[in-house]
C-alpha cells in the first residue's frame, strides 16, 4: 500500500494533534523560567506599596527650602525598612535613605549632594519643587490589576514582577517529558573509539538539546539495537512515563528499518512529507504514548525537530506563537531544488543584511553546515531554480 503523503503544514498539524495542552501546575518561581503563565496574575499589592524616597537625602516640605540656602534641624533618621515613621514637622528635615517610607507632611526629597550632609542640622543649598525624588504608591502597579496575562512567557523581568507583587508560585503548564531514542546497531556513544562501519551517535544529543531549549525535559535512551522485539519491549516499558517518545532512524524503505517494522500496525503510521531533507516520517499512539519517528540522517532529524516537534511542544506548553520568525532576503548564490517538495537549505543571514548566504549543500548528512548556519532558506515546492539575487523566505534560528 502506498504511503500517505502530507504537505509540511498538514504534517505539522498531525504531530501537534498528538500533544494536547499540558496540565497546569502551581510552580515555585524558581522553576518557572521559560514556561507559560496559564492564568492572569493579579497584583496583591501596589508598586510601590507606599510613598518612598527615590534618593538618599532629606525629606522636607518644599516651601521650607524655597529660600535656600537654609539650615533645618534634623528631627529623625529614616532607613529603608522602617515600618513606623513619625510625621515631619514644619521647619524640620528627616534624613532619609533610598526606598525608605516618606514621612507624613513631607512633599519632596533633597538629594544629599545638594546639602552639607549634616546629622543634627542640615544646610540645604538648593531649592526643590514639590514631588522631587518621590516614588508614589501605585505609580508602577495598582493592587487588583492584571500585571501578567495568561499566555505570557516567563522570563527574568516577568518573574521579577511576579515576586514584587507577592507571588511565590505561578500556575504554568508543566514541562513536557520527552523520551529520545536513536536506533541503529552502527551507533556508538561519543567518547568511545570507533570500529570500521561505526559512527558516533549524535541525533539524541541534538534532539534532547532542542527539547530542553523550548522548556521540556529530555531523557535519552541508549542504545537500542536493530531488533524489533527489543525495541517493542523498550517502548512498552516506558508507556505512561512520558508525554512523547521521539525516535530517529529506522523509518525508510530499506531493510533493517527497526522503528517502522516494530510499530507498523501498532498505532504509528509511516508517511511521506513533501520536504527535503526529512521526507520519511512516522507518528501515532502506542499504548497511549505519542510517538514521533524521524529519519536517521542528522540534518533530517534536526530539520524534523524544527518543523514538526518544536512547534508541537511549544503549543502544548501554551505558547501563543509557535513559529520561528521569518525574513525576506536576496540569495547570495544560485540554488536548485527538487520539484514538488519544499526544500530547506542551510544559510547565514546577519542582522541588517539584505542577503542570505547558503551554507553547504542540500545533503541530509551535512551536519557541520547546519551547525555553521543561523537560518533556513525555504524554497517552495513549485520552485526548482533560485537565481543569485532572487528574494527568498528565511526562517531565523537565532
Amino acid at each position: 500500500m502506498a504511503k500517505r503523503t502530507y504537505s509540511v503544514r498538514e504534517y505539522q498539524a498531525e504531530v501537534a494533534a498528538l500533544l494536547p495542552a499540558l496540565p497546569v501546575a502551581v510552580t515555585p518561581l524558581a522553576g518557572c523560567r521559560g514556561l507559560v503563565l496559564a492564568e492572569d496574575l493579579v497584583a496583591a499589592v501596589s508598586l510601590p506599596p507606599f510613598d518612598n524616597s527615590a534618593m538618599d537625602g532629606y525629606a522636607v516640605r518644599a516651601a521650607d527650602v524655597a529660600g535656600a540656602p537654609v539650615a533645618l534641624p534634623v528631627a529623625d533618621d529614616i532607613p529603608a525598612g522602617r515600618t513606623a515613621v513619625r510625621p515631619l514637622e514644619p521647619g524640620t528635615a528627616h534624613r532619609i535613605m533610598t526606598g525608605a517610607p516618606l514621612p507624613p507632611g513631607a512633599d519632596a526629597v533633597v538629594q544629599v549632594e545638594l546639602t552639607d550632609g549634616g546629622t543634627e542640622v542640615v544646610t540645604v543649598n538648593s531649592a526643590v519643587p514639590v514631588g522631587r525624588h518621590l516614588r508614589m504608591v501605585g505609580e508602577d502597579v495598582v493592587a487588583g490589576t492584571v500585571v501578567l496575562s495568561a499566555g505570557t512567557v516567563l522570563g527574568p523581568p516577568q518573574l521579577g514582577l511576579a515576586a514584587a507583587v507577592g507571588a511565590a508560585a505561578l500556575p504554568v503548564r508543566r514541562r513536557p517529558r520527552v523520551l529520545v531514542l536513536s536506533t541503529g546497531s552502527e551507533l556508538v556513544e561519543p567518547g568511545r573509539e570507533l570500529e570500521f562501519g561505526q559512527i558516533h551517535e549524535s541525533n539524541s544529543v541534538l534532539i534532547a538539546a532542542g527539547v530542553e531549549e523550548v522548556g521540556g525535559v529530555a531523557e535519552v535512551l541508549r542504545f537500542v539495537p536493530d531488533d524489533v522485539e527489543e525495541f517493542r519491549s523498550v517502548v512498552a516499558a516506558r508507556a505512561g512515563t512520558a508525554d512523547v517518545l521521539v525516535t530517529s532512524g529506522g523509518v525508510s524503505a530499506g531493510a533493517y528499518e527497526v522503528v517502522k517494522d516494530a510499530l507498523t500496525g501498532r498505532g504509528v503510521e509511516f508517511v511521506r512529507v513533501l520536504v527535503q531533507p526529512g521526507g520519511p516520517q512516522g507518528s501515532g499512539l502506542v499504548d497511549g504514548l505519542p510517538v514521533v519517528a524521524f529519519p536517521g540522517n542528522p540534518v533530517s532529524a534536526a530539520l524534523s525537530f524544527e518543523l514538526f516537534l518544536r512547534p508541537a511542544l511549544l503549543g502544548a506548553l501554551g505558547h501563543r506563537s509557535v513559529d520561528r520568525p521569518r525574513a525576506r532576503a536576496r540569495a547570495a548564490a544560485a540554488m536548485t531544488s527538487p520539484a514538488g517538495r519544499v526544500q530547506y537549505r542551510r544559510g547565514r543571514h546577519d542582522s541588517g543584511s539584505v542577503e542570505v548566504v547558503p551554507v553547504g549543500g542540500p545533503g541530509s548528512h551535512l551536519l557541520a553546515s547546519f551547525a555553521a548556519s543561523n537560518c533556513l532558506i525555504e524554497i517552495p515546492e513549485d520552485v526548482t531554480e533560485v537565481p543569485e539575487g532572487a528574494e527568498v523566505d528565511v526562517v531565523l534560528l537565532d
Side-chain angles (χ1 to χ4, degrees):
M1 185 174 68
K3 285 184 177 181
R4 290 178 66 183
T5 300
Y6 288 86
S7 69
V8 170
R9 285 294 180 191
E10 288 170 340
Y11 196 64
Q12 284 174 333
E14 285 287 310
V15 175
L18 288 174
L19 296 173
L22 290 157
V24 175
V26 177
T27 303
L29 294 185
C32 290
R33 185 173 64 85
L35 297 182
V36 178
L37 188 65
E39 302 168 11
D40 291 348
L41 175 62
V42 176
V45 298
S46 293
L47 294 181
F50 51 86
D51 298 341
N52 68 87
S53 175
M55 286 280 183
D56 291 339
Y58 296 83
V60 299
R61 296 172 185 263
D64 288 339
V65 297
V70 296
L72 300 174
V74 179
D76 199 4
D77 262 339
I78 312 175
R82 173 75 67 82
T83 57
V85 179
R86 61 178 173 146
L88 177 73
E89 298 297 333
T92 68
H94 288 183
R95 192 166 66 156
I96 193 168
M97 303 298 115
T98 302
L102 189 71
D107 58 16
V109 169
V110 182
Q111 67 193 77
V112 69
E113 291 84 356
L114 300 180
T115 75
D116 67 353
T119 56
E120 294 185 2
V121 176
V122 62
T123 299
V124 177
N125 297 312
S126 178
V128 293
V130 171
R132 176 62 58 89
H133 302 317
L134 300 185
R135 302 166 177 161
M136 307 309 291
V137 62
E139 186 179 307
D140 187 17
V141 170
V142 176
T145 60
V146 173
V147 290
L148 295 172
S149 59
T152 298
V153 181
L154 299 169
Q158 293 76 29
L159 293 171
L161 175 58
V165 298
L170 293 172
V172 293
R173 298 204 178 274
R174 69 158 173 78
R175 299 181 187 277
R177 301 164 303 190
V178 182
L179 297 177
V180 182
L181 191 160
S182 292
T183 63
S185 296
E186 77 280 12
L187 302 178
V188 173
E189 187 172 359
R192 286 181 51 193
E193 188 173 345
L194 296 176
E195 296 182 14
F196 183 75
Q198 295 180 327
I199 60 173
H200 287 124
E201 196 280 315
S202 61
N203 287 353
S204 67
V205 175
L206 184 154
I207 294 168
V211 167
E212 290 170 359
E213 185 180 56
V214 299
V217 177
E219 180 186 353
V220 175
L221 304 178
R222 287 194 175 119
F223 282 90
V224 178
D226 290 335
D227 180 278
V228 168
E229 291 308 316
E230 186 169 348
F231 181 87
R232 285 175 179 167
S233 69
V234 169
V235 174
R238 302 311 296 266
T241 68
D243 297 299
V244 61
L245 167 67
V246 185
T247 69
S248 66
V251 299
S252 297
Y256 306 109
E257 301 294 341
V258 64
V259 177
K260 186 180 67 175
D261 294 343
L263 300 182
T264 296
R266 292 172 176 258
V268 174
E269 182 182 18
F270 293 88
V271 302
R272 178 171 172 259
V273 180
L274 299 176
V275 65
Q276 186 193 50
Q281 298 283 336
S283 60
L285 292 171
V286 177
D287 297 328
L289 174 65
V291 176
V292 180
F294 294 156
N297 276 320
V299 177
S300 295
L303 184 64
S304 297
F305 177 84
E306 273 293 325
L307 292 180
F308 307 125
L309 186 56
R310 183 180 186 274
L313 291 173
L314 289 172
L317 277 163
H319 285 260
R320 295 185 182 121
S321 175
V322 300
D323 295 324
R324 293 277 197 182
R326 288 172 171 259
R328 292 281 287 176
R330 293 200 301 266
M335 294 172 284
T336 60
S337 181
R341 285 184 282 177
V342 180
Q343 186 184 71
Y344 288 90
R345 295 285 292 268
R346 279 68 74 195
R348 286 207 62 85
H349 176 64
D350 297 324
S351 177
S353 174
V354 298
E355 283 193 330
V356 60
V357 180
V359 178
S364 59
H365 62 296
L366 301 176
L367 188 56
S369 62
F370 197 99
S373 302
N374 67 357
C375 69
L376 298 170
I377 305 167
E378 184 180 79
I379 304 176
E381 61 270 19
D382 58 350
V383 175
T384 57
E385 303 271 349
V386 177
E388 181 180 345
E391 276 209 338
V392 291
D393 281 317
V394 175
V395 181
L396 305 175
L397 301 180
D398 287 348

